[in-house]
């Protein structure tokens, strides 16, 4: 989501868009401030339509012109009173120079505009026919205004004048790209213009055509004449795609009237020149969509490069303002940003209209456009200070108009215009008409006595009338002198009163100046404090950013440590659980083995006691014959079967020795390294499959497994162990063996024991008793002792202990 100051729908009318966006810029223009308005978006999104409009619904440009001329229409100066110089300045000419300029222009063979209603081109008549008369309310009526327009385009990073009329010089031949003279009918390419900086550090285009216009129709005709020269081309996305950035510049010059309110004040310092630039940017485009080639491809590259430079300048300005940096803004990388450098530095108000095409194919490019437009709202530029007033009394124009109207009214009452000579003549005529008419003074003969007396009588009457008029005139003179003296006295009193008031005002002004000086000093002090506070705030913000970065790094480190700790805790918990389970099983195994061992010991003791009891209870005469060693070897000794565990023992798998081995199949694993033994007791398993190495095939046919293992005991005798186990099938289809018990076969030499091999020789009575006791010991010593042979179950150990 992106946020903007205003969002307009697809059905918005041009009037509403103009009132919100462009109207404040026109008001600032008339009040002497600069403004910049440009349309931005992808190709084919409606930028040119927004700026120019359509028949019947004019765009922003004709509406701006109409509002300007509606506001300053009655206060415009005559042509050539204001004259632009070549250094982006303006001069004021006197009435004589302006009249000479107008006469020179009228003498040119160029068709002059008719003073009446202009003949408007029907192609643009509907665009400038505004029904609503929009104008600025607060216009300085004591100023005179003049409007100049110019129209340029930036094509492939070169500036061209669209209003320039290229005259053909028949003497100097024109040269084309092939270094050959062109014919008279060939097209002469326009020359690019240069950018310069004036004394106020404002950028302007040198040699650009600036036309003085007096009406909306005339200004829009100038624009339309340049619009026809603008470079457009047909692409895959737009039938009339703009291949250049166009800039329509409206300059408004205004100067105050003199103290009489009749003529323009001839002071250049009092002239205010404001400017409104309306920019129609070329749309950004992707060549893989427009399928541009050749010149179109080069144009698209230059368009995208200039827009990228504009975006870079905005981003650098934003970083400088947000982080207090002083990075250089790359204005000179593009003519577009270089031309409007002053606006971004604070010399006016900037407005941007973002045009968005709702097509799905333009989605990604529209996102980029809106992201950039949203970022530009964070850039703040300083506004210029308003120009001071000229110091003349306001209302001069209306007083001069009222005086002219009253003078013309009085002249009409008197019967016509009054000059000095005509006034004297009229007074003489009035006086002569009051005198009696003279009679005929012609003498017919010498005896004529009537003509002279009549003449003398008329002259006497005229003399009397003259004397009477002289007396009346002297009385009138005296009366007028009296009135002049009274008027002089009143003027003197008023002058004294005005002087007193002026002295009071001067004292007030002096006090106000002192107060202003004090306030200026205070302002400077506050500005210095503000500057210090800004620097301190910048330092604090930098420290804050550093601390925030340090806090973020430490929080990330803590998060990593916490995650490592949780991972170690989980690992240790798994290890503890595994170790706990392992030791629980080991403890259970050891307890079960210990219980079996104790049970076996108890059983062995019980067997010994039973045999001892049987030996003791036998009659003494029946002495048992001790078997010889050879007979013991020939006759196999029957092994006893291990008893089953007691019911109170912990749950251990029940194992039976020989009772279960009769009807089960065994795998008898005898490694080839085993040696044959000559013991009487030999392991014998029926229905067994004897193998030298264990295999899955043999294990699949049997359910029991026995491994014969031999090792050398500590006394040097061979000890044979029979390791037995159960065969199980696994889930993967294989075989597994679980060992259950171990049997041990051990052979020892009975050295050091006294044996009596010949029973025929009778012994003495003492020796008989000893022999009897020895036989008991011997019989007890050859008893079978059963004890635990492994951790999984009991084993057998047969041994004969020496006496």
């Amino acid at each position: 989501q992106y946020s903007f100051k205003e969002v307009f729908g697809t059905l918005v009318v041009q009037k509403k868009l103009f009132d919100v966006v462009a109207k404040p810029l026109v008001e600032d223009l008339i009040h002497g401030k600069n403004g910049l308005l440009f349309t931005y978006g992808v190709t084919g999104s409606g930028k040119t339509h927004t700026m120019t409009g359509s028949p019947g619904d004019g765009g922003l440009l004709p509406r701006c012109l109409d509002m300007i001329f509606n506001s300053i229409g009655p206060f415009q100066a005559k042509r050539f009173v204001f004259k632009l110089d070549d250094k982006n300045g303006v001069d004021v000419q006197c009435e004589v120079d302006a009249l000479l300029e107008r006469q020179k222009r009228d003498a040119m063979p160029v068709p002059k505009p008719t003073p009446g209603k202009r003949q408007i081109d029907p192609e643009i008549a509907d665009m400038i026919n505004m029904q609503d008369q929009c104008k600025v309310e607060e216009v300085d009526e004591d100023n005179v205004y003049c409007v100049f327009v110019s129209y340029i385009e930036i094509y492939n990073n070169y500036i061209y004048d669209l209003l320039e009329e290229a005259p053909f010089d028949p003497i100097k031949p024109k040269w084309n790209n092939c270094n050959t003279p062109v014919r008279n009918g060939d097209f002469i390419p326009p020359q690019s213009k240069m950018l310069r900086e004036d004394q106020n550090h404002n950028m302007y285009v040198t040699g650009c055509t600036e036309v003085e216009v007096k009406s909306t129709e005339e200004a829009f005709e100038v624009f339309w004449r340049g619009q026809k020269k603008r470079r457009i081309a047909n692409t895959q996305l737009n039938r009339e795609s703009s291949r250049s950035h166009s800039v329509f510049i409206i300059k408004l010059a205004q100067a105050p009237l003199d103290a009489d309110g009749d003529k323009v004040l001839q002071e250049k310092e009092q002239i205010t020149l404001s400017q409104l630039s309306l920019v129609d940017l070329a749309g950004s485009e992707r060549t893989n969509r427009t399928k541009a080639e050749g010149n179109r491809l080069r144009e698209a590259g230059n368009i995208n490069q200039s827009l990228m430079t504009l975006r870079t300048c905005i981003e650098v300005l934003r970083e400088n303002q947000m982080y207090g940096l002083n990075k250089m803004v790359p204005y000179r990388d593009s003519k577009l940003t270089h031309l409007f450098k002053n606006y971004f530095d604070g010399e006016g108000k900037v407005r941007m209209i973002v045009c968005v095409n709702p097509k799905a194919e333009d989605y990604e490019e529209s996102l980029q456009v809106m992201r950039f437009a949203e970022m530009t709202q964070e850039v703040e530029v300083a506004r210029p200070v308003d120009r001071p007033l000229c110091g003349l009394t306001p209302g001069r124009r209306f007083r001069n108009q009222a005086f002219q109207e009253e003078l013309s009214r009085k002249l009409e009452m008197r019967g016509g215009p009054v000059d000095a000579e005509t006034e004297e003549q009229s007074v003489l005529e009035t006086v002569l008409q009051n005198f009696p008419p003279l009679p005929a003074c012609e003498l017919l003969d010498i005896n004529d006595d009537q003509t002279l007396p009549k003449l003398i009588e008329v002259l006497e009457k005229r003399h009397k009338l003259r004397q009477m008029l002289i007396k009346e005139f002297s009385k009138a003179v005296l009366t007028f002198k009296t009135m002049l003296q009274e008027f002089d006295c009143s003027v003197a009193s008023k002058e004294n009163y005005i002087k007193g008031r002026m002295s009071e005002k001067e004292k007030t002004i002096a006090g106000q100046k002192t107060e202003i000086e004090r306030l200026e000093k205070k302002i400077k002090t506050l500005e210095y404090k503000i500057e210090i506070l800004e620097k301190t705030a910048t330092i604090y913000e930098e420290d804050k950013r550093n601390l925030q970065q340090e806090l973020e790094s430490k929080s990330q480190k803590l998060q990593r440590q916490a995650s490592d700790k949780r991972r170690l805790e989980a690992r240790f918990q798994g290890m503890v659980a595994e170790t706990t389970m392992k030791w629980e099983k080991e403890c259970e195994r050891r307890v079960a083995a210990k219980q079996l061992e104790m049970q076996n010991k108890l059983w062995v003791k019980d067997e010994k006691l039973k045999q001892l009891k049987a030996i003791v209870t036998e009659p003494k005469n029946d002495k048992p014959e001790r078997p010889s060693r050879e007979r013991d070897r020939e006759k196999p000794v029957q092994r006893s079967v291990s008893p089953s565990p007691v019911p109170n023992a912990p749950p251990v798998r029940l194992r039976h020795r020989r009772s279960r081995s009769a009807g089960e199949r065994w795998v008898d694993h005898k490694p080839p390294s085993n040696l044959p033994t000559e013991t009487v007791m030999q392991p014998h398993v029926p229905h067994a499959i004897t193998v030298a190495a264990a295999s899955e095939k043999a294990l699949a046919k049997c359910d029991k497994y026995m491994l014969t293992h031999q090792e050398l005991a500590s006394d040097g005798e061979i000890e044979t162990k029979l390791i037995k186990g159960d065969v199980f099938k696994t889930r993967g289809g294989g075989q597994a063996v679980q060992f259950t018990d171990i049997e041990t076969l051990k052979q020892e030499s009975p050295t050091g024991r006294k044996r009596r091999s010949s029973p025929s020789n009778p012994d003495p009575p003492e020796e008989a008793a000893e022999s009897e006791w020895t036989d008991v010991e011997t019989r007890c010593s050859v008893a079978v002792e059963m004890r635990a042979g492994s951790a999984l179950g009991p084993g057998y150990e047969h041994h004969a202990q020496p006496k």
Side-chain angles (χ1 to χ4, degrees):
Q1 295 182 357
Y2 302 97
S3 59
F4 299 96
K5 290 184 179 179
E6 290 288 340
V7 178
F8 302 96
T10 56
L11 302 179
V12 65
V13 295
Q14 295 277 11
K15 175 66 169 61
K16 183 178 180 181
L17 183 64
F18 169 77
D19 291 340
V20 175
V21 180
K23 188 176 180 179
L25 296 179
V26 177
E27 293 175 351
D28 290 345
L29 176 71
I30 294 179
H31 293 153
K33 299 178 183 179
N34 297 333
L36 171 63
L37 173 64
F38 57 92
T39 55
Y40 181 73
V42 301
T43 180
S45 57
K47 301 181 294 301
T48 305
H49 172 75
T50 302
M51 188 64 70
T52 308
S54 58
D57 190 12
L60 299 180
L61 190 146
R63 291 180 183 274
C64 289
L65 293 173
D66 187 65
M67 183 176 179
I68 291 172
F69 287 105
N70 287 339
S71 303
I72 67 171
F75 312 123
Q76 290 190 73
K78 296 180 180 180
R79 287 185 185 272
F80 304 109
V81 171
F82 291 94
K83 184 178 182 181
L84 297 176
D85 55 16
D86 296 334
K87 298 180 180 179
N88 202 30
V90 61
D91 295 325
V92 180
Q93 297 189 124
C94 63
E95 292 290 340
V96 177
D97 294 337
L99 181 60
L100 291 175
E101 290 280 350
R102 287 195 294 271
Q103 290 177 355
K104 188 185 301 182
R105 178 175 175 271
D106 293 340
M108 292 176 63
V110 180
K112 303 179 292 295
T114 57
K117 187 175 180 59
R118 296 178 58 89
Q119 297 295 328
I120 306 174
D121 188 355
E123 188 177 2
I124 62 174
D126 293 337
M127 293 185 182
I128 59 178
N129 187 14
M130 308 298 173
Q131 300 297 331
D132 47 344
Q133 297 293 326
C134 183
K135 65 179 182 177
V136 180
E137 297 297 334
E138 299 178 0
V139 180
D140 192 354
E141 298 169 347
D142 293 323
N143 288 356
V144 290
Y145 300 88
C146 185
V147 179
F148 299 90
V149 295
S150 59
Y151 197 19
I152 63 173
E153 71 170 353
I154 303 175
Y155 175 72
N156 287 339
N157 208 24
Y158 289 98
I159 300 176
Y160 296 100
D161 185 6
L162 294 177
L163 302 180
E164 183 180 18
E165 298 292 342
F168 178 73
D169 191 353
I171 299 176
K172 296 180 181 180
K174 305 301 179 180
W175 300 83
N176 54 20
N177 295 332
C178 301
N179 294 326
T180 58
V182 301
R183 297 184 303 272
N184 292 342
D186 290 344
F187 172 71
I188 302 173
Q191 297 296 321
S192 61
K193 304 298 181 180
M194 301 293 292
L195 282 177
R196 292 287 184 268
E197 190 175 19
D198 61 7
Q199 60 181 0
N200 297 323
H201 305 289
N202 296 322
M203 304 305 300
Y204 69 97
V205 181
T206 58
C208 178
T209 304
E210 294 176 313
V211 182
E212 182 179 2
V213 291
K214 294 299 179 182
S215 64
T216 305
E217 294 81 5
E218 185 181 356
F220 198 76
E221 280 186 2
V222 172
F223 163 75
W224 199 252
R225 189 170 72 244
Q227 185 74 0
K228 292 179 180 179
K229 297 181 182 180
R230 189 182 176 188
R231 290 174 173 85
I232 59 174
N234 185 12
T235 64
Q236 292 286 339
L237 301 180
N238 191 357
R239 186 168 57 86
E240 295 182 356
S241 176
S242 300
R243 313 311 295 168
S244 63
H245 309 300
S246 67
V247 183
F248 188 74
I249 302 173
I250 305 172
K251 288 185 179 180
L252 179 66
Q254 51 183 312
L257 294 170
D258 57 6
D260 296 332
D262 188 20
K263 299 180 181 179
V264 183
L265 192 64
Q266 299 289 322
E267 294 182 8
K268 189 173 182 179
E269 294 78 11
Q270 296 294 334
I271 302 174
T272 303
L273 184 63
S274 54
Q275 177 176 308
L276 175 61
S277 300
L278 303 176
V279 185
D280 181 13
L281 294 177
S284 60
E285 59 186 37
R286 294 185 179 179
T287 55
N288 58 353
R289 294 185 57 206
T290 58
K291 308 299 181 184
E293 296 178 353
N295 290 334
R296 301 289 88 79
L297 182 61
R298 185 163 62 92
E299 292 167 357
N302 288 317
I303 290 170
N304 294 335
Q305 181 63 33
S306 61
L307 295 178
M308 183 58 66
T309 304
L310 174 64
R311 181 169 185 169
T312 304
C313 293
I314 295 294
E315 288 177 352
V316 174
L317 284 173
R318 175 172 168 268
E319 290 179 1
N320 290 344
Q321 293 179 3
M322 290 184 65
Y323 305 116
L325 304 177
N326 194 17
K327 290 184 179 180
M328 185 184 72
V329 184
Y331 291 121
R332 294 180 179 269
D333 291 352
S334 173
K335 293 293 178 63
L336 178 66
T337 54
H338 195 194
L339 178 61
F340 299 118
K341 176 179 74 71
N342 311 98
Y343 291 96
F344 299 122
D345 288 342
E347 292 294 334
K349 187 180 294 184
V350 183
R351 290 286 177 92
M352 176 191 292
I353 299 177
V354 182
C355 300
V356 180
N357 196 332
K359 291 196 304 183
E361 294 81 1
D362 294 340
Y363 177 73
E364 294 183 0
E365 296 182 57
S366 299
L367 288 183
Q368 296 290 336
V369 168
M370 287 189 289
R371 187 179 297 113
F372 165 67
E374 185 185 36
M375 180 191 64
T376 57
Q377 298 180 111
E378 302 176 5
V379 178
E380 297 179 358
V381 293
R383 300 299 178 208
V385 182
D386 294 339
R387 292 176 61 88
L389 298 176
C390 63
L392 297 176
T393 307
R396 303 183 300 279
R397 181 189 294 271
F398 283 123
R399 285 202 302 272
N400 185 36
Q401 290 180 357
F403 172 74
Q404 296 291 342
E405 291 176 357
E406 183 67 19
L407 181 61
S408 62
R409 187 179 63 81
K410 287 185 177 181
L411 289 176
E412 290 178 358
M413 290 176 61
R414 291 185 178 184
V418 179
D419 294 333
E421 296 180 356
T422 55
E423 186 175 358
E424 292 179 357
Q425 292 177 0
S426 62
V427 170
L428 288 175
E429 290 177 357
T430 305
V431 172
L432 291 175
Q433 286 177 0
N434 292 329
F435 286 103
L438 291 174
C441 299
E442 185 176 1
L443 295 176
L444 298 176
D445 54 5
I446 195 171
N447 297 320
D448 189 1
D449 55 354
Q450 294 181 358
T451 302
L452 291 176
K454 289 181 180 178
L455 180 60
I456 292 169
E457 183 179 0
V458 170
L459 290 175
E460 287 178 354
K461 288 181 180 179
R462 286 197 170 201
H463 179 69
K464 291 180 181 178
L465 184 59
R466 181 176 179 275
Q467 292 294 331
M468 182 180 65
L469 290 175
I470 289 173
K471 289 181 181 179
E472 290 180 357
F473 180 72
S474 60
K475 289 181 181 179
V477 167
L478 290 175
T479 306
F480 185 70
K481 284 183 179 180
T482 305
M483 291 176 62
L484 282 177
Q485 290 176 356
E486 292 177 356
F487 181 73
D488 191 14
C489 293
S490 64
V491 167
S493 61
K494 287 182 180 180
E495 186 177 357
N496 293 331
Y497 174 74
I498 289 173
K499 286 182 179 179
R501 292 295 302 273
M502 286 291 291
S503 61
E504 293 178 0
K505 293 294 183 181
E506 286 177 355
K507 291 180 181 179
T508 305
I509 290 172
Q512 290 179 353
K513 285 183 178 179
T514 306
E515 182 69 15
I516 288 172
E517 290 177 356
R518 186 184 67 81
L519 292 176
E520 286 179 351
K521 292 181 180 178
K522 187 175 181 181
I523 287 171
K524 290 181 179 179
T525 306
L526 292 176
E527 286 178 351
Y528 179 71
K529 290 182 179 179
I530 288 171
E531 185 178 358
I532 295 175
L533 291 175
E534 287 178 350
K535 292 181 179 178
T536 308
T538 305
I539 295 172
Y540 286 160
E541 287 178 356
E542 186 175 359
D543 294 341
K544 180 181 176 182
R545 287 196 300 272
N546 294 333
L547 291 175
Q548 284 180 351
Q549 293 177 358
E550 186 177 355
L551 179 62
E552 289 177 357
S553 62
K554 288 187 176 181
S555 62
Q556 292 176 359
K557 186 176 179 181
L558 287 175
Q559 289 178 0
R560 288 196 299 269
Q561 291 179 355
S563 62
D564 294 342
K565 184 178 178 182
R566 288 194 297 269
R567 190 162 55 249
L568 288 175
E569 286 180 355
R571 181 179 176 185
F572 287 154
Q573 287 177 0
M575 293 174 63
V576 168
E578 184 179 356
T579 307
T580 305
M581 187 181 298
K582 179 179 178 181
W583 280 107
E584 285 179 354
K585 291 181 179 179
E586 181 68 19
C587 291
E588 291 177 359
R589 182 184 61 76
R590 290 186 180 183
V591 169
K594 198 68 176 176
Q595 287 179 354
L596 286 175
E597 184 180 357
M598 298 303 294
Q599 289 175 6
N600 291 336
K601 286 182 179 180
L602 289 175
W603 184 79
V604 169
K605 288 182 180 181
D606 291 341
E607 287 294 325
K608 285 183 179 181
L609 288 175
K610 287 179 183 179
Q611 292 180 9
L612 184 60
K613 183 177 180 182
I615 293 171
V616 171
T617 55
E618 284 182 359
K620 295 182 179 180
N621 297 329
D622 301 335
K623 294 182 180 179
E625 184 180 0
R626 180 178 179 84
S628 63
R629 187 73 173 174
E630 291 78 7
R631 292 174 60 186
D632 291 341
R633 289 177 180 176
E634 293 175 359
K635 184 178 179 181
V637 181
Q638 193 74 20
R639 296 176 62 183
S640 60
V641 181
S642 299
S644 60
V646 295
N648 296 331
V652 181
R653 183 172 180 178
L654 299 178
R655 300 178 183 87
H656 300 282
R657 297 294 174 190
R658 296 185 182 275
S659 61
R660 293 183 60 187
S661 64
E664 296 176 341
R665 297 292 302 274
W666 286 75
V667 175
D668 189 2
H669 182 189
K670 291 183 178 181
S673 61
N674 287 353
L675 299 175
T677 59
E678 296 179 358
T679 57
V680 176
M681 303 179 69
Q682 292 288 337
H684 175 69
V685 181
H687 308 292
I689 300 175
T690 304
V691 294
S695 63
E696 184 178 358
K697 183 176 180 181
L699 291 174
K701 297 179 181 180
C702 302
D703 49 7
K704 291 291 184 178
Y705 174 79
M706 182 176 69
L707 172 63
T708 303
H709 174 66
Q710 289 183 346
E711 63 182 6
L712 194 63
S714 59
D715 55 357
E717 297 291 338
I718 295 176
E719 186 178 65
T720 304
K721 291 184 179 181
L722 304 178
I723 305 171
K724 298 185 292 183
D726 297 335
V727 180
F728 298 97
K729 291 184 178 181
T730 61
R731 293 183 179 179
Q735 305 295 328
V737 178
Q738 181 179 4
F739 295 105
T740 57
D741 54 9
I742 300 175
E743 293 184 8
T744 305
L745 301 178
K746 189 175 181 183
Q747 183 179 4
E748 296 180 358
S749 299
T751 58
R753 190 181 66 175
K754 294 181 182 180
R755 296 179 58 186
R756 296 186 182 274
S757 60
S758 176
S760 62
N761 297 330
D763 294 331
E766 296 85 2
E767 293 178 4
E770 183 180 357
S771 174
E772 182 180 357
W773 180 247
T774 302
D775 292 338
V776 172
E777 286 182 349
T778 303
R779 293 177 64 183
C780 291
S781 66
V782 299
V784 179
E785 181 180 359
M786 180 179 176
R787 61 186 178 183
S790 68
L792 299 174
Y796 298 100
E797 184 173 359
H798 304 276
H799 62 277
Q801 297 180 356
K803 293 178 64 175

